[in-house]
Amino acid sequence: MTSVATLQPDPAPIVACTISRDVQNFEMLIDDMENALGESWGDLSFDDALLFLGQPEASTLEFVAIAVDAEDEADLTRISEIIRTAKARGIKVVLIADQLSPIALHQLLRLGADDFVPYPLPDGALNEAIERLRKPEPVRIAAQVVTEPPAEAEAVATPKFKAKGDREGVVLPVHGLAGGTGSSTFAVNLAWELATISKTDAPRVCLLDLDFQYGSAATYLDLPRKEIVFEVLSDTANIDSDTFLQSMLTFNDRLHVFTAPADMLPLDILGPEDIGRVIDMAAANFDYVIIDMPKTIVAWTESVLTRAHVYFALLELDLRSAQNVLRLIRALKAEALPHEKLRYVLNRAPKFTDLSGKSRVKRMAESLDIAIEVQLPDGSAQVTQANDHGLPLSETAAKNPLRKEIQKLAKSLHDLNKGVETGKA
């Protein structure tokens, strides 16, 4: 018996643990942990985690993966204590979040989680997070600590190119005709799809968030709001293109974003001439200018509409959207404004097999005397998750039907624009 026992190898030390209310709710996490660590990981419930982290056995842990969902929001105090305890013992923390509210997610990240991965887990995301955790932290001498910019500043760099004013950008405003129609989601994802449409010859794209009160482009791309935005908006007559570019932030080295100001501002803080200058500077330096508009019609809406090549108006299949379409068309016609630039986009459109829904769409278009040229499917909970995680749909749910439709639209816009350029040549 003794000889047999000595032939069995010692079990591998536990280097990581999942901590959750019930790990069976996170089956993809189980698979990814097994693929990454084999048998060198364990599982703990919230009840057992604090007790185990206080034991000597916890000294072998490299990290813990704390998996939470919406049901755990009532237990944030205990989860927060687990994060604090792990950090105090020098154990790194990866947060796995499924449909967690932005407030709860922000609270847990502020406690010092070293990395964050959305759930359902994107392919390879957990492995990439583990690699980041295992990278040695750079050693900095005293002089570097003083002179080097913080890592956060590097992650949200401003555009690197110089303003030459050599472009004639396509201006594409996006306007939601009712609350909750998904106009900001559409604007952000359309801008990102255009910015990544080619790996070798991608156009230069910027996103202007002109909703000065509730603009959410910064939130949907996890970008900070810079104070210089307010300075630019306050003095558009005296800023130049270089200053304008310095007020923008770059997302993933591809998309350039002019965020809404940090503080809520009145929509009439700018006049038509001010907005015209901002759009003209953007169009002179970018190939595409996507504008996320406020829901309200303001004095400078005319400036945007007259400069727009296509003005996307998002609506849903409901009475409020239909009424607002009629009001908008009536208002534009009364002022002799180019209402023909409007392109109606139906969000959360019926599925292909929903014949009754398709019939309702047709009747709605006929009764309003409009053409609904784009129909976007319901992207379901993955859309909210992507927005809460500060990432475009292509980065978290590339196969989502809504993402695919926006990708098709971006390609058709780009192909059409290239065709116009070729015709000019």
Side-chain angles (χ1 to χ4, degrees), residues 78-98:
R78 183 164 54 161
I79 298 170
S80 300
E81 186 60 28
I82 293 171
I83 295 176
R84 290 192 193 97
T85 304
K87 298 298 292 183
R89 296 215 52 181
I91 301 169
K92 295 186 176 181
V93 176
V94 179
L95 190 63
I96 313 291
D98 180 18

Side-chain angles (χ1 to χ4, degrees), residues 184-185 188 209 211 214-222 225 260 292 387:
S184 293
T185 297
V188 168
D209 191 345
D211 188 348
Y214 298 107
S216 51
T219 303
Y220 289 176
L221 294 172
D222 194 22
R225 300 171 192 260
D292 191 10
N387 291 340

Side-chain angles (χ1 to χ4, degrees), residues 199-214:
K199 293 182 179 179
T200 56
D201 187 27
R204 191 185 292 171
V205 181
C206 77
L207 171 64
L208 307 182
D209 191 345
L210 298 187
D211 188 348
F212 306 140
Q213 296 186 339
Y214 298 107

Side-chain angles (χ1 to χ4, degrees), residues 190 193 197 401-415:
L190 178 62
E193 295 296 344
I197 204 163
L402 175 61
R403 185 261 166 162
K404 289 183 177 179
E405 284 302 315
I406 296 177
Q407 185 183 36
K408 289 179 185 176
L409 176 60
K411 186 177 185 305
S412 66
L413 288 170
H414 186 60
D415 290 345

Side-chain angles (χ1 to χ4, degrees), residues 92 130-140:
K92 295 186 176 181
I130 294 173
E131 289 177 6
R132 289 193 294 269
L133 293 179
R134 287 175 169 172
K135 280 185 179 179
E137 295 184 4
V139 178
R140 296 190 177 189

